[in-house]
Amino acid sequence: MIHSVDLLYSISGFCVSLLVGMTGVGGGSLMTPLLILLFGVHPATAVGTDLLYAAATKSGGTVVHGLNRNIDWRVVGRLAAGSVPATALTLLVLSGFGIYSGAGRSLITAVLSGALAATAAVLIFRKRILAFFAAHVGELSPRRTAALTVLLGAVLGVLVSISSVGAGALGVTAIILLYPRLPTARIVGSDIAHAVPLTLVAGIGHWVLGSIDWHLLGSLVAGSLPGIVIGSYISVRVPDAVLRFTLATTLLLVAGKLAL
């Protein structure tokens, strides 16, 4: 017999993963605040469970985007070169704090709030950021682009390990800045593919720290797998301009969640 709460978890998983499949954004930015604010889940448990949920759903999305050749593996490799080591170091710091202690809760809440605020700022000033970057920086040299991509991965590793937020919303925008010639669909696909090793390593770390709710995870994944597949297929068939609008709308939802 399916309980109503489990059904709500599954519906939440489906809706969030649908957005992730289409835009690469919405995983931690929507799911973690949703679990904390709507379902009353402890922040540490919400982050840890969401990380493994993201690893499962984005694996499905990676397969679909890979089959459609919407992944730039060079970009994925550079991001992972920075994010995986940074994730491991961040988890060591979290273990020292005590993830369920008052200090651990405060750290998670502060980083989560900051990451969501940064996401909202990206939404509001995104066009200005892109225009400013194009006018004053322009297209970077291959060497600088590679180095900054690794650095971006490291920053995302820290953010995602603590709050589960950043791999989509902030990552996609940063990749647009670094790789302006890449079509949006390939940027989204590359971001989703990179999120798999990042969230898997971070999720396993949280498992070791004891911050995974397996029952909750099962309910989320049950709804998320069809959502990520449908969203990934839709992203290929939606015009580039519409996909960008969907991305902006998704970030607006994240900003609204922050305001709440």
Side-chain angles (χ1 to χ4, degrees):
M1 183 177 179
I2 300 176
H3 295 286
S4 58
V5 175
D6 295 339
L7 183 60
L8 286 176
Y9 286 150
S10 296
I11 292 173
S12 299
F14 175 83
C15 293
V16 171
S17 63
L18 183 70
L19 292 173
V20 172
M22 289 184 64
T23 67
V25 177
S29 302
L30 292 177
M31 183 57 75
T32 301
L34 187 71
L35 292 175
I36 295 172
L37 299 177
L38 185 61
F39 294 109
V41 177
H42 189 283
T45 303
V47 169
T49 304
D50 180 64
L51 285 168
L52 285 186
Y53 155 77
T57 57
K58 294 193 177 186
S59 294
T62 298
V63 171
V64 175
H65 280 289
L67 292 174
N68 288 307
R69 299 184 178 180
N70 277 332
I71 298 175
D72 188 319
W73 293 106
R74 176 193 54 173
V75 174
V76 174
R78 290 171 176 174
L79 289 169
S83 66
V84 173
T87 295
L89 290 174
T90 303
L91 290 168
L92 285 175
V93 174
L94 283 176
S95 66
F97 268 88
I99 200 164
Y100 281 101
S101 67
R105 185 186 187 111
S106 297
L107 176 65
I108 293 172
T109 303
V111 174
L112 177 60
S113 299
L116 290 174
T119 301
V122 166
L123 169 66
I124 297 170
F125 301 110
R126 182 168 175 265
K127 287 186 177 179
R128 293 184 182 180
I129 292 172
L130 294 175
F132 180 87
F133 193 89
H136 294 83
V137 180
E139 194 166 350
L140 301 171
S141 67
R143 173 179 285 186
R144 183 168 293 184
T145 298
L148 288 176
T149 304
V150 174
L151 178 60
L152 169 63
V155 173
L156 293 178
V158 174
L159 287 177
V160 171
S161 298
I162 298 175
S163 69
S164 78
V165 175
L170 301 178
V172 165
T173 301
I175 295 172
I176 291 173
L177 293 175
L178 293 174
Y179 300 90
R181 296 179 184 272
L182 276 184
T184 302
R186 283 181 67 83
I187 289 174
V188 170
S190 300
D191 180 75
I192 289 176
H194 164 247
V196 175
L198 169 55
T199 55
L200 183 60
V201 171
I204 291 174
H206 276 268
W207 181 12
V208 173
L209 295 177
S211 55
I212 305 291
D213 184 327
W214 293 101
H215 180 77
L216 169 59
L217 177 62
S219 299
L220 293 175
V221 172
S224 68
L225 292 179
I228 193 75
V229 171
I230 293 172
S232 298
Y233 272 115
I234 291 175
S235 72
V236 180
R237 290 158 177 78
V238 176
D240 193 71
V242 176
L243 192 58
R244 287 182 181 273
F245 175 77
T246 304
L247 176 60
T249 303
T250 304
L251 292 176
L252 181 60
L253 291 173
V254 176
K257 181 61 65 176
L258 173 65
L260 292 175

